[in-house]
């Protein structure tokens, strides 16, 4: 019956310079664990992130159609892309909180702010990719060691 509460001071500052390949490998490995230990959650993720990406793709197509074909398509395009804008806004708000509650890392947060916030545009496609990739994976490599998934 207890509630979960966000406590900014409990967040551990972590700054990583991983590239896209390392990020995709890591997210796919994590998703493999979900598929292996809770296939219902993995299937739910497949449906949820499939839907999110369909909305994103439809929003982008509508926006482009509104720019190049008919302005009528701009309204649904903007509406369908609003969740992305809200994600970026929420990320900026989190960063402001973290900068204020962890002054020792203020410069690091400030330096990474735009890169991290911009990356929120790619969360749904990256997670969906990882969910699809984890579907048939039989082994994972973690810290140089291969593990067979059974």
């Amino acid at each position: 019956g207890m509630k979960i509460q966000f406590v900014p001071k409990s967040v551990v500052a972590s700054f990583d310079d991983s590239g896209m390949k390392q990020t995709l490998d890591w997210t796919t490995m994590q998703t493999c664990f979900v598929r292996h230990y809770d296939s219902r959650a993995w299937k739910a993720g497949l449906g949820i992130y499939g839907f999110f990406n369909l909305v994103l793709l439809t929003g982008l197509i509508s926006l482009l159609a509104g720019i190049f074909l008919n302005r009528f398509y701009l309204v649904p395009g903007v509406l369908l892309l609003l969740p992305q804008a809200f994600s970026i806004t929420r990320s900026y708000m989190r960063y402001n909180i973290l900068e204020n509650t962890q002054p020792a890392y203020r410069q690091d947060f400030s330096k990474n702010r735009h890169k991290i916030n911009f990356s929120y545009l790619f969360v749904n496609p990256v997670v969906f990719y990882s969910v699809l990739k984890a579907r048939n994976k039989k082994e994972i490599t973690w810290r140089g060691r291969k593990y067979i998934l059974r």
Side-chain angles (χ1 to χ4, degrees):
M2 299 177 79
K3 293 183 180 181
I4 297 174
Q5 184 175 345
F6 174 64
V7 180
K9 286 187 177 188
S10 69
V11 173
V12 176
S14 175
F15 304 99
D16 183 41
D17 289 331
S18 294
M20 185 55 101
K21 181 178 178 355
Q22 292 91 355
T23 300
L24 290 173
D25 288 347
W26 184 83
T27 57
T28 300
M29 179 181 66
Q30 296 299 311
T31 307
C32 282
F33 294 142
V34 173
R35 182 187 57 79
H36 184 72
Y37 290 108
D38 189 353
S39 64
R40 286 182 5 172
W42 177 83
K43 288 175 185 172
L46 181 64
I48 291 166
Y49 284 96
F51 175 75
F52 287 163
N53 281 286
L54 181 63
V55 170
L56 176 62
L57 185 61
T58 305
L60 290 172
I61 291 170
S62 294
L63 195 63
L64 290 173
I67 293 168
F68 295 109
L69 299 176
N70 184 331
R71 288 186 187 171
F72 168 78
Y73 293 105
L74 286 174
V75 173
V78 168
L79 291 174
L80 289 167
L81 294 175
L82 272 177
Q84 297 289 17
F86 290 144
S87 291
I88 293 170
T89 302
R90 189 173 59 240
S91 178
Y92 270 98
M93 291 167 59
R94 276 192 210 119
Y95 251 63
N96 285 337
I97 291 169
L98 292 173
E99 282 181 352
N100 291 326
T101 58
Q102 299 185 25
Y105 297 103
R106 182 171 280 136
Q107 186 176 4
D108 294 307
F109 283 125
S110 182
K111 182 175 78 171
N112 289 291
R113 171 189 296 272
H114 298 299
K115 179 173 74 171
I116 296 301
N117 292 325
F118 180 70
S119 71
Y120 273 83
L121 294 173
F122 302 101
V123 168
N124 290 330
V126 165
V127 173
F128 189 60
Y129 167 86
S130 296
V131 169
L132 290 175
K133 185 93 171 166
R135 181 183 61 204
N136 296 320
K137 240 167 143 38
K138 302 291 184 219
E139 66 181 34
I140 59 168
T141 303
W142 183 51
R143 296 188 178 188
R145 295 186 71 183
K146 288 190 181 217
Y147 295 89
I148 305 296
L149 299 171
R150 297 176 192 208

